[in-house]
């Protein structure tokens, strides 16, 4: 993780967030690509549910 993200998480401000990584197929090449986001803990299921 980047230093800025780690510093935010250590201060306690980032405890309500999670880093989520989803593997999806690229429509252009057909290869797998990874989508990464920092989302609120309550929105993790929504992140994986959307296409």
């Amino acid at each position: 993780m980047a230093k800025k993200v780690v510093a935010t998480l250590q201060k306690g401000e980032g405890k309500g967030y999670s880093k989520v990584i989803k593997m999806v197929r690229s429509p252009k090449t057909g290869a797998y690509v990874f989508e990464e986001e920092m989302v609120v803990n309550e929105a993790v299921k929504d992140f994986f549910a959307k296409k």
Side-chain angles (χ1 to χ4, degrees), residues 39-51:
V39 297
V40 181
N41 287 340
E42 291 81 25
V44 171
K45 289 185 180 180
D46 296 333
F47 174 80
F48 288 113
K50 71 179 180 180
K51 297 250 174 179

Side-chain angles (χ1 to χ4, degrees), residues 24-41:
V24 295
R25 276 206 184 257
S26 170
K28 191 174 185 181
T29 63
Y32 284 103
V33 294
F34 295 95
E35 290 182 7
E36 297 182 17
E37 275 187 47
M38 293 291 289
V39 297
V40 181
N41 287 340

